[in-house]
Amino acid sequence: MRMADSPSILSERYEIVRKLGSGAFATVYLADDLRMGRPVAIKVVAHSADVDDRVLREAHAAAKLNHHHIVTMYEMVREDDRTLLFTEYVEGQTLRDRYREQSLSDRDILQAGVQLCQALEHAHKRGVVHRDIKPENIMLASGPDIDVRLMDFGVAQLADRLS
């Protein structure tokens, strides 16, 4: 299976629509979940000693969490050469992008802060400390109201896996 500009099918279920972005450890794609009829984000992480623990930590942290302001993890699939993380797709922009546009009012920023605090409180009560809060890891869902979604628990600390 390869990710290409042309549509491809993963796990006989997910049709790749387009690449959303890439970072130091992963590439993220928008895909259609053909079974459930919904869009999903797929984070594709190539296996290496440097990132394997990070991917498992992210999946385990996300599995402990169920909150409106935290991106929902649907499943993790480990293949020979990579791991796929299937998550809720949030149409919108990162807090960094919205800030650069200067399109946020003081009230918007306050609402975003309150929602982020609610997400972090939920995580902390379940023994998950995010440890990478930054504007790139905070999505603002499209719509008339501020609706924050916290993403990327790759460096999270789990209370049951202290190290």
Side-chain angles (χ1 to χ4, degrees):
M1 288 179 258
R2 71 181 193 357
M3 303 292 169
D5 292 332
S6 61
S8 62
I9 305 288
L10 294 172
S11 301
E12 300 178 0
R13 177 176 177 174
Y14 302 98
E15 183 176 7
I16 302 300
V17 175
R18 64 183 162 87
K19 181 178 173 179
L20 294 172
S22 58
F25 298 102
T27 302
V28 180
Y29 297 89
L30 170 61
D32 288 325
D33 180 340
L34 302 175
R35 211 177 286 158
M36 299 300 291
R38 64 183 172 194
V40 297
I42 303 174
K43 182 185 264 189
V44 180
V45 184
H47 286 193
S48 76
D50 295 345
V51 298
D52 282 348
D53 187 54
R54 179 185 171 113
V55 174
L56 290 175
R57 185 173 39 243
E58 181 171 1
H60 289 146
K64 293 175 174 273
L65 307 175
N66 181 16
H67 191 273
H68 176 75
H69 296 299
I70 298 174
V71 169
T72 302
M73 174 77 64
Y74 295 138
E75 73 178 299
M76 177 183 80
V77 175
R78 290 180 64 86
E79 296 178 343
D80 291 338
D81 60 342
R82 65 188 180 181
T83 299
L84 309 171
L85 299 175
F86 299 85
T87 68
E88 165 189 17
Y89 171 67
V90 179
E91 178 72 38
Q93 294 178 290
T94 66
L95 181 58
R96 168 78 66 213
D97 292 337
R98 288 285 302 274
Y99 179 78
R100 283 185 182 139
E101 291 176 355
Q102 299 181 348
S103 63
L104 296 170
S105 68
D106 289 346
R107 180 181 171 93
D108 292 339
I109 293 168
L110 179 62
Q111 287 179 326
V114 168
Q115 292 174 13
L116 180 60
C117 287
Q118 291 169 342
L120 291 170
E121 177 184 40
H122 175 82
H124 292 178
K125 284 182 177 178
R126 283 148 188 82
V128 177
V129 179
H130 190 281
R131 297 191 329 168
D132 195 20
I133 300 299
K134 59 186 179 184
E136 295 81 4
N137 289 338
I138 301 167
M139 283 294 290
L140 296 176
S142 294
D145 299 317
I146 294 297
D147 185 4
V148 165
R149 303 296 167 81
L150 181 58
M151 311 182 294
D152 196 350
F153 282 77
V155 295
Q157 182 68 56
L158 305 175
D160 57 356
R161 290 181 62 191
L162 291 175
S163 57

